[in-house]
Amino acid sequence: MMHTLLPVAFVTLLWWSSTGAVLWLANGRTEQLHFRLLGITLTCAFGFAGLIVASTSDAAWSPYLAFISALAVWGWIEFTFLAGMVTGPHFGDCPPDASERQRFRLAFRTIMHHEFTLLAALIGIWAINHVSGNMMGFYTFALLWLMRLSAKLTIFSGAPTLSIDMMPHRLAHMKTYFRVDRIGPVFWASIVTNSVLLVAAIWCLMNEKISADAHVGLVMLTTLVALAVLEHLFMVLPMRDSALWGWAMSEENDKKAAATAAE
């Protein structure tokens, strides 16, 4: 039982705390961002080192190290995005009369550099893990990437109760590309796909022939998929997931978010 409960608790706690930590760092005072960038860059470097160590070990702790290391790399990319350091070449609002094709093109240009950074990190982690054959770090990062891509397309298509207050004010122009007046078709496609993936992962966990190490890694990935489904549901249900990370959002950002919502 501990081989299941411990990984579930580990992933859930790390997902909650790391998301809050990145939000807290990105929402800090602008003049302090470069100091925070230095700290999170060192964390990212340790993440890559951890990926190398985990990929060459078959010890019981290696899936945990691989997961937290992949999350450290992911955290650097998320911080640089939320801090407005690595976003895209376009910084303007979405024109009110833009067609769907134009809105998609401009929306992509606002986050293009961020997307390319994610892809480069994905390839780099694959190269690290491919040499040893232990792919837990790559699977973790790839799953985070796929789930985030699904969330972005859902937001673009339509998510009526999206917690836009979690975005720093410096990225306010990106909110003009969100559709919050309906539930878009991408949401339903994402929910069905993620749910099928979740059921398939649970079915694999029920296989008695799976090794102990593989079981721990699969439990972690399954938990991550379950959390992704939960995040998608928060986008359309009458509840805000930002309450989970209220401690991570600065008072200044809360006031700006309230002022924006009131306009």
Side-chain angles (χ1 to χ4, degrees):
M1 182 62 70
M2 286 301 297
H3 285 296
T4 299
L5 294 181
L6 183 59
V8 170
F10 177 81
V11 171
T12 303
L13 180 60
L14 202 58
W15 165 79
W16 174 76
S17 59
S18 62
T19 300
V22 171
L23 283 171
W24 181 80
L25 290 170
N27 280 312
R29 296 173 63 87
T30 302
E31 57 268 24
Q32 298 175 347
L33 283 178
H34 288 87
F35 291 102
R36 300 182 182 207
L37 175 63
L38 177 61
I40 203 166
T41 299
L42 290 175
T43 302
C44 179
F46 282 118
F48 275 110
L51 286 167
I52 295 173
V53 172
S55 67
T56 57
S57 173
D58 57 358
W61 47 262
S62 62
Y64 295 93
L65 179 60
F67 187 91
I68 197 171
S69 297
L71 210 59
V73 177
W74 181 268
W76 183 90
I77 299 174
E78 284 294 289
F79 170 79
T80 56
F81 173 71
L82 293 174
M85 298 175 179
V86 182
T87 54
H90 181 70
F91 298 95
D93 292 351
C94 179
D97 58 345
S99 64
E100 286 298 289
R101 178 176 296 182
Q102 184 182 14
R103 187 169 72 93
F104 182 85
R105 181 177 61 83
L106 292 176
F108 177 72
R109 284 178 55 80
T110 64
I111 61 173
M112 184 171 68
H113 297 158
H114 169 69
E115 295 299 325
F116 289 156
T117 304
L118 282 171
L119 187 59
L122 181 69
I123 294 173
I125 293 174
W126 174 85
I128 291 173
N129 285 179
H130 182 69
V131 173
S132 64
N134 186 341
M135 303 294 287
M136 180 60 191
F138 172 76
Y139 291 151
T140 299
F141 195 91
L143 191 55
L144 287 169
W145 177 65
L146 289 173
M147 297 299 101
R148 182 52 56 87
L149 181 61
S150 172
K152 289 173 182 174
L153 292 174
T154 298
I155 292 169
F156 179 84
S157 173
T161 59
L162 179 69
S163 296
I164 60 175
D165 52 322
M166 294 175 65
M167 293 192 68
H169 187 66
R170 64 180 65 90
L171 300 182
H173 64 285
M174 293 187 182
K175 300 174 185 178
T176 63
Y177 295 91
F178 301 166
R179 186 180 290 279
V180 295
D181 60 341
R182 68 181 186 186
I183 299 178
V186 176
F187 167 77
W188 301 111
S190 297
I191 284 295
V192 170
T193 302
N194 292 338
S195 298
V196 169
L197 183 60
L198 180 60
V199 171
I202 293 174
W203 183 84
C204 290
L205 284 173
M206 297 172 64
N207 186 350
E208 297 180 355
K209 296 181 180 180
I210 190 172
S211 66
D213 290 343
H215 177 86
V216 169
L218 188 54
V219 169
M220 289 182 175
L221 298 176
T222 303
T223 305
L224 205 55
V225 175
L227 292 171
V229 173
L230 183 63
E231 284 186 327
H232 280 71
L233 291 175
F234 274 131
M235 296 181 190
V236 298
L237 294 177
M239 59 183 69
R240 292 194 174 275
D241 57 345
S242 57
L244 294 171
W245 296 284
W247 56 273
M249 295 186 288
S250 66
E251 182 179 353
E252 179 184 4
N253 191 60
D254 291 342
K255 292 178 178 178
K256 289 177 179 178
T260 302
E263 292 179 353

